[in-house]
Each structure stands twice: as structure tokens, then as C-alpha cells.
Amino acid sequence: MRNFIERQRTNHPPANGFRDWSHLPSELLQLISEKISSFTDYISIRAVCVSWRSAFSTCPSHQSPPQFPWLMLPYNPNPCTGNDTSLRIFYDPVTCRTFEFNLPETSRKRVVGSSHGWLIIEDGPNVSLLNPITKAVIRLPSFTTPPNILHFPPLEEDLSPYPPTVLSRLTYDTGEPNIFNVILTSYPTLDRGCIVMVLVRYWNLVFCRVGDECWTVLGGDQNQEHRDEIGEAVLGVTYHDGLFYSINRHGKVAVYDLQSCKKELIDSMVPIDGSHCYLFASASGELLMLLDHHNRSERSGIIVYKLIRDGVKGKWEETHEIGDTVVFVDCSRQCFSLPVNAFRSGPIGDRMEGNRLFHPYNTKAVCGNEDGYLFNVAIKSVHVGDLSYEKINPNLGVFHSTWSKSMWFSPSLC
């Protein structure tokens, strides 16, 4: 490629001594695009000029290596009329740069989750996926459409039919989101079989495939008399190696295989005590749980457990070692893990260590009144082994307590 450029420089010398890089051959630009592994480099190249922007597709044909996640900073989902409601700010901890995106698709709406480079937008009963980089939008089924029910015999064969009254229990005028957690199994633009699993108020776990006309509810009856074993107390859900795992407030785990329509209950117990609970899988495939006690129990702080299985029985055992795994957790109930070698080819290189988790936190309130208080956002890197931590960035700004929560986002062009 270098020789090709040199030949172009020799054969067509510029009159003013400066080469017009905007007129590089399209086949050369295509070759360059396939060699770019850094997400930010790709975005920067598209911003050089109009011809380069048209030559570099917003959605390249190749999939770039995993990038270190950005942090989407809080915003006001209910601003006064006349304010700019479309600007969303993302912070890259690696380069310490902030990126501003004009996203009118999020105006006066709530971003309730992120997965595989897509934001999940809740607008009343309407749900959609948005890639803030490519601006691609995928519409998902509305919550006003009656869902399908996926039964898992024989565990639920004695449960009564799904009560239609639950459909009216979702409310859209309280200012609170109905969606608590979202997981995509793959990149929806690359995989037509991509599954969107959502933890929804009252409905609990529901899913759809891109293109479905309605949601499908996992389980049977959701009323108080015939509550599903994992029931309305679902606290977290994760996906690993073709299976979904959910956990309830008693520490019991349900394993769902949607391909064969099988469900398994693992009778394991752990004192959650009202803590924030997150499920994730380690790089070696172990099921792990993170509890953030946030000073609500006698043992405050972060504790990580791994599930030790013995058939249908299980035991949560505290661990200080999650191997070559990096975990990202935030205040919006989102949690995901990546193998440390996913970053080896990126700008972090060998500086990234495993057995760590990254999470944003709110620093001391600046001031307060009857409408709430102001706070700063910062990021901590926590070593799971000894829970030592370091602050990896300065304060990222002052935000209001009624605004959305900061959220991890993995940028992707797919």
C-alpha cells in the first residue's frame, strides 16, 4: 500500500507541493478501511472530508475487534420545552476523550440499556434499538401487543394460563422505566437470529427476535397465586454459550435453553439482602454473581460469588479470582464481562489486566434542594482479589439526581 501511494505521488506531483488526499482511489480507501482495527480511528477517518465519508461506509463489511467500552453520561429525559434534548455525551476512559452525538431518536425518551453497541430506547410502550454511531434504528414489538407464552414442561405443566390482566399493569406516565435489563445475543445487523432478552416490570423475562411482531414471555402464570419459581423476584439475567441465566431474590438460578425449550432450576441460596445483584460469565465459562451491598447490610462493599454445581443442586461460593475477565457494571442494572485478551490488539494492549471490574460512581453531592441534588460522576477500577481500587479519571461533570443513570456502552459499527 505504501508503494502504491509513492507511485501516485511520483506520477502525479501536485502543483502547489501539497497532495490532495481527498482524491485517493476508492479501491485504496476500501483496502485501508479493512485494515483499521480501532473504532475511534475509523470514525476519525470518516470525518476527514466528504469523499472519505462516502468511501467509508457507516457500517463496514468487516467486524472490528472489541473496543474498551465508553460511558454514556447522564442526561435529562424530561427537559423543559425549547431545550436541546438530543445531545448525548460519551466518555472514553482509554483516551480520556468525550464524544458528543446528536441523537434525536432519544429526545424525551429513556435509554434503558445497552448491548453489542446498541442502545435500547423505551418510549412509553414502544421499544427500539439504536446504534448511536451508525444511526441505524431497529423497531421492536410494542408492549401493547399481546405476548406469546413459552412454556417449559414439565416444570410448569400445572400452571394456569397466562392472565391477560397483566398486560394492563404496565404504566407509561410515571416517569419510571418499565425495562430493567437488556441483553442481545449478537449483533442484530449481522445475525438475523439475534435474540433480545428483556427484564420487564411485572412481565419479568420476555424476549423477541429481530423482526418478531410480539414479545414472548418465559414461563406461565405470573399472578400471585401461581407465581413461577423464579417469579416476579427476578433480579438479574445474563447470556452465555447459548443459554440464558436468571437469578431471583433468594439466589435461585433458572437456566433457559430457547432452542430446545428446556428450563432447569438450580436450587442455590445466597443472602442477597436487598443488594444490587448482577450475573455474568467468566472467560472460562463459570457463572458468577456480583453483589454490591452499597452499605445496606452489615457487610458493605462488593462481593463476587461463583456457582459450584452438583447436578440440580448448587452453592454460591465467595471468590477473589475471576481469571482473565474484565467486568463492567453500572447503576442501571447493566453488567457484562469481556475476556482480557479482547483488548490485546487495541490501544490498551498489554496494560489491561484481568480480575478487574470497572464501575461508575457518584461522588459527594454538590448541593441540593426540594427537587433533588447535584452530583459528580467518576469511574473506579476495582481489583477483585483484594477490592483495592483506583480512580481512573477526573470527575466527568455535574448532573442532577433526576437525570438518567450513567451507563456502559460498547461502541460498534455493526
Side-chain angles (χ1 to χ4, degrees), residues 3-15 19:
N3 292 336
F4 180 86
I5 295 176
E6 290 296 334
R7 288 200 305 271
Q8 295 296 310
R9 182 182 292 114
T10 303
N11 296 337
H12 304 282
R19 174 157 299 279

Side-chain angles (χ1 to χ4, degrees), residues 42-344:
Y42 194 92
I43 295 298
S44 299
I45 285 178
R46 291 194 72 246
V48 169
C49 59
V50 174
S51 61
W52 284 32
R53 178 179 292 274
S54 61
F56 287 78
S57 169
T58 56
C59 188
S61 57
H62 70 288
Q63 183 175 335
S64 59
Q67 307 291 303
F68 195 92
W70 294 354
L71 189 69
M72 182 177 175
L73 300 181
Y75 71 94
N76 185 3
N78 300 300
C80 299
T81 303
N83 289 352
D84 180 7
T85 64
S86 303
L87 195 63
R88 302 292 172 256
I89 302 176
F90 297 82
Y91 175 76
D92 179 6
V94 175
T95 62
C96 298
R97 294 172 59 189
T98 57
F99 299 88
E100 296 183 350
F101 292 91
N102 184 31
L103 302 176
E105 300 85 354
T106 66
S107 178
R108 303 182 185 278
K109 302 170 187 176
R110 288 188 175 274
V111 177
V112 292
S114 70
S115 182
H116 282 76
W118 292 74
L119 302 178
I120 293 80
I121 313 298
E122 182 181 339
D123 180 20
N126 302 315
V127 186
S128 60
L129 303 177
L130 167 67
N131 187 321
I133 311 303
T134 66
K135 303 298 181 69
V137 176
I138 297 176
R139 306 295 178 187
L140 299 179
S142 170
F143 287 141
T144 58
T145 303
N148 289 327
I149 311 300
L150 182 60
H151 296 276
F152 293 90
L155 291 177
E156 298 173 345
E157 59 186 1
D158 296 327
L159 293 176
S160 60
Y162 185 87
T165 55
V166 77
L167 296 176
S168 63
R169 298 176 66 183
L170 293 178
T171 57
Y172 312 109
D173 55 358
T174 62
E176 296 296 326
N178 285 302
I179 295 176
F180 295 137
N181 204 338
V182 182
I183 295 175
L184 273 64
T185 58
S186 56
Y187 295 95
T189 55
L190 301 180
D191 179 14
R192 293 185 178 181
C194 171
I195 296 175
V196 183
M197 180 68 73
V198 179
L199 177 57
V200 185
R201 187 192 308 271
Y202 301 123
W203 289 17
N204 297 310
L205 289 176
V206 302
F207 74 91
C208 73
R209 291 178 174 84
V210 174
D212 283 355
E213 296 182 356
C214 66
W215 294 95
T216 297
V217 180
L218 293 184
D221 195 324
Q222 301 284 302
N223 61 27
Q224 296 296 325
E225 290 75 22
H226 299 88
R227 182 182 299 180
D228 178 86
E229 290 94 331
I230 207 69
E232 293 189 17
V234 174
L235 298 180
V237 60
T238 192
Y239 176 79
H240 177 69
D241 198 22
L243 300 174
F244 288 94
Y245 299 83
S246 68
I247 187 169
N248 71 2
R249 58 194 174 96
H250 301 298
K252 288 187 177 182
V253 174
V255 186
Y256 298 95
D257 185 344
L258 302 187
Q259 295 255 344
S260 59
C261 194
K262 292 182 179 179
K263 174 182 174 181
E264 179 186 7
L265 289 176
I266 303 176
D267 189 9
S268 55
M269 305 292 286
V270 68
I272 294 178
D273 298 331
S275 307
H276 290 165
C277 178
Y278 308 89
L279 282 182
F280 63 97
S282 69
S284 60
E286 291 181 306
L287 186 63
L288 299 167
M289 174 177 58
L290 185 151
L291 291 186
D292 185 355
H293 289 280
H294 49 269
N295 298 320
R296 292 189 180 181
S297 68
E298 295 180 357
R299 186 175 188 181
S300 62
I302 293 173
I303 303 177
V304 178
Y305 296 88
K306 64 179 177 180
L307 183 65
I308 308 299
R309 293 194 58 178
D310 181 14
V312 296
K313 296 290 184 180
K315 178 178 69 173
W316 288 106
E317 182 178 281
E318 185 174 346
T319 181
H320 299 283
E321 178 60 51
I322 61 175
D324 294 329
T325 304
V326 183
V327 184
F328 299 88
V329 60
D330 57 43
C331 300
S332 62
R333 296 200 184 189
Q334 302 293 307
C335 176
F336 60 93
S337 60
L338 292 171
V340 69
N341 60 13
F343 305 111
R344 294 304 188 205

